[in-house]
């Protein structure tokens, strides 16, 4: 038996192994120390690429906004899929006495290719029976999963933050959430992610991307849309359906999302200005949180765990966030002047609550230019003390979740800035 060569090989490889191990240890370290989050120099949303300052609303709309949108499309999320040339919606089921007679439930499917009968999207819409239309609607992806008769425990966990939740408990929360929203006179719609883009690195393209012509597996190309962009496309298609339904007030549709679906809601509303308002609940990295801060989840981590969410180019900024030509406060600025709610949770450090607040704060100059207010404070408010304005914000005690407390704030925000606002679509 000659073990020596193996030993020699090991000695030879030792420095390499040490470097790899050290590298892994470093990569494994997540920074939660504010003093090490880095001094962030953010791109100025009101400074053109050629150096000119943006001094009025027309300049923002015609020149600067398209520049920023293009950067997000080519460097972060990918180029959006087009609106289908031909699309048809089918109501596959309707129950006019859902939720103990309080709501009408409608299951809708969208076909985008007549030839292959490709179902691109499935969603469920609940409308309150007690109020006449047209009805303002909250729309999100899986955000209302627990309103379904057989909620998924994993999704319920996401909604409640409870690590081990029973089906009964999740159904109870679902029902309470739905009752609350409907009793306040809003409709709610929940999209199913599977037909759009399954949330998996290997299968994400086997939905709408395939219907739109992708034939091979693999991560998104440099500027090709990832799953977040496909999910956002789905939100826009649901809005197309609302525009064709007289009971829905399509001018008052609020995109809402928790976590990865919060990122999606923001991106949907940035691209599609028909959304009247957006609510980002604990959306974190790739959502409301600044990418250039080193705190919690980083571009490096998110693009290695979820390469299928973003366009290929985004991963090039892993560890080089300083080179990003754009940051998430500018994503929020693309929502302006429409009402925007950003919410964080104290224990959700992975999502960088302070980075989420700073993004909202740094979107404010654009809101002001367009005669809308910002959060109205310059320091992050203490827990459970929401600040309201066209940009509203709260930091809630507790974990990564969409809770009843959050919903209470969102309903008050929707009442004030969307449902009862006459001028919310004026720009
Ligand atoms: C995490 C991911 C976050 C967030 C979250 C979620 O694993 O790192 O960016 O999106 O999932 O969606 O629940």
């Amino acid at each position: 038996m000659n073990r020596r060569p193996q030993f020699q090989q090991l000695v030879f490889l030792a420095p390499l192994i040490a470097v790899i191990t050290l590298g892994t240890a470093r990569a494994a370290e997540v920074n939660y120390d504010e003093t090490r989050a880095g001094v962030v120099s953010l791109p100025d949303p009101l400074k053109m690429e050629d150096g000119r300052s943006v001094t009025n609303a027309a300049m923002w709309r015609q020149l600067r906004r398209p520049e920023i949108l293009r950067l997000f499309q080519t460097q972060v999320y990918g180029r959006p899929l087009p609106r289908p040339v031909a699309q048809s919606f089918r109501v596959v089921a309707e129950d006019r006495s859902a939720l103990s007679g309080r709501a009408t439930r409608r299951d809708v499917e969208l076909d985008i290719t007549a030839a292959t009968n490709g179902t691109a999207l499935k969603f469920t819409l609940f409308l309150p029976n007690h109020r006449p239309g047209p009805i303002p609607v909250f729309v999100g992806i899986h955000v209302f999963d627990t309103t379904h008769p057989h909620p998924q425990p994993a999704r319920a966990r996401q909604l409640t933050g409870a690590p081990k939740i029973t089906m009964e408990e999740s159904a109870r929360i679902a029902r309470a959430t739905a009752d609350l929203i409907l009793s306040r006179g809003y409709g709610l719609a929940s999209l199913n992610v599977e037909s759009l883009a399954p949330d998996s690195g290997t299968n994400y393209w086997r939905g709408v991307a395939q219907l739109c012509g992708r034939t091979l597996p693999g991560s998104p190309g440099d500027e090709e849309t990832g799953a977040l962009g496909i999910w956002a496309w789905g939100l826009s298609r649901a809005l197309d359906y609302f525009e064709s339904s007289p009971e829905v007030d399509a001018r008052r549709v609020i995109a809402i999302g928790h976590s990865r679906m919060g990122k999606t809601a923001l991106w949907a509303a940035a691209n599609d200005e028909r959304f009247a308002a957006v609510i980002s609940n604990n959306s974190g990295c790739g959502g409301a949180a600044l990418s250039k801060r080193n705190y919690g989840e980083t571009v490096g981590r998110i693009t290695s765990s979820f390469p299928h969410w973003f366009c290929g180019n985004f991963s090039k900024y892993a560890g080089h966030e300083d080179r990003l030509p754009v940051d998430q406060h500018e994503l929020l600025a693309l929502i302006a002047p429409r009402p925007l709610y950003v919410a964080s949770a104290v224990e959700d450090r992975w999502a960088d609550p302070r980075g989420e607040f700073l993004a909202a704060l740094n979107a404010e100059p654009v809101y002001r230019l367009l005669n809308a207010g910002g959060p109205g404070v310059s320091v992050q408010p203490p827990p459970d003390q929401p600040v309201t304005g066209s940009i509203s914000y709260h930091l809630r005690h507790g974990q990564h979740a969409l809770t009843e407390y959050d919903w209470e704030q969102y309903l008050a925000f929707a009442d004030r800035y969307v449902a009862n606002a006459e001028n919310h679509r004026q720009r």
Side-chain angles (χ1 to χ4, degrees), residues 158 258-260 263 283 285 297 302 306 309 350 400:
Q158 228 195 16
H258 169 60
S259 205
R260 69 197 68 184
K263 310 180 208 297
S283 62
C285 183
E297 188 171 32
I302 203 166
F306 306 102
W309 284 359
W350 181 243
H400 185 68

Side-chain angles (χ1 to χ4, degrees), residues 389-404:
S390 294
I391 304 177
S392 294
Y393 177 85
H394 74 242
L395 172 67
R396 164 180 57 68
H397 271 117
Q399 301 176 350
H400 185 68
L402 175 51
T403 67
E404 196 179 335

Side-chain angles (χ1 to χ4, degrees), residues 116-178:
T116 57
N117 191 27
T119 299
L121 171 64
K122 296 181 182 183
F123 64 94
T124 301
L125 170 67
F126 291 90
L127 293 172
N129 285 336
H130 72 271
R131 71 161 280 183
I135 296 167
V137 165
F138 288 96
V139 61
I141 298 184
H142 282 315
V143 78
F144 305 114
D145 259 22
T146 50
T147 57
H148 289 239
H150 303 294
Q152 300 292 312
R155 294 288 170 196
R157 257 205 308 280
Q158 228 195 16
L159 284 171
T160 61
K164 285 201 182 94
I165 188 166
T166 63
M167 294 294 263
E168 291 72 28
E169 177 63 357
S170 95
R172 191 196 61 73
I173 294 167
R175 185 57 195 266
T177 310

